[in-house]
Amino acid sequence: RVIRTRRYKYILNLAHELPYPFATDLFESLTWQAFLERGYTMFGRRSIEAYVHRPRHELYDLQTDPDEIYNLAEHPLYTEILEELQARLRAWQEETNDPWLRKYVY
């Protein structure tokens, strides 16, 4: 789930324990397989590890980091922004009867 303002983007990765889902045809493509076989560690400006294994919470300052490379979710200076966006997302989930609301209970 994602919510954003003009400046910030918050991502709640509901199944963060699992590898990031991307199309099977991409995973099986010659390009992706060549990356893996050659031992490349970067995919664009992200490490392959960071691309495939996402944290539960991601927060990006789109003004200073439009490529969404530096996750600010754990940074103490952004706690208030993170909590505000989390509350707004939760309110939207409740308003729309999001089936993933169960994730907060279990």
Side-chain angles (χ1 to χ4, degrees):
R1 299 290 186 261
V2 177
I3 189 167
R4 63 167 286 173
T5 64
R6 288 180 191 249
R7 181 159 186 182
Y8 295 101
K9 180 177 182 181
Y10 167 64
I11 303 169
L12 171 61
N13 292 304
L14 296 167
H16 67 281
E17 302 92 349
L18 302 174
Y20 186 73
F22 54 98
T24 304
D25 59 339
L26 171 64
F27 183 78
E28 293 176 1
S29 73
L30 296 176
T31 302
W32 184 257
Q33 290 304 313
F35 263 79
L36 299 177
E37 289 170 12
R38 293 183 179 139
Y40 290 168
T41 59
M42 299 298 291
F43 184 69
R45 295 189 58 207
R46 278 186 191 226
S47 72
I48 290 176
E49 177 63 25
Y51 182 79
V52 174
H53 298 104
R54 307 287 175 100
R56 180 174 172 84
H57 304 283
E58 295 180 75
L59 177 66
Y60 299 102
D61 182 335
L62 301 174
Q63 188 174 36
T64 62
D65 180 23
D67 295 324
E68 301 176 17
I69 302 300
Y70 305 103
N71 183 3
L72 304 171
E74 301 279 331
H75 198 292
L77 291 177
Y78 294 88
T79 301
E80 188 174 318
I81 293 164
L82 177 66
E83 289 174 353
E84 176 192 337
L85 292 176
Q86 287 173 324
R88 288 175 60 185
L89 178 63
R90 176 79 180 258
W92 175 83
Q93 288 180 286
E94 290 172 358
E95 180 183 319
T96 61
N97 266 339
D98 184 348
W100 283 98
L101 279 170
R102 292 179 168 261
K103 191 82 168 163
Y104 295 106
V105 177
Y106 297 104

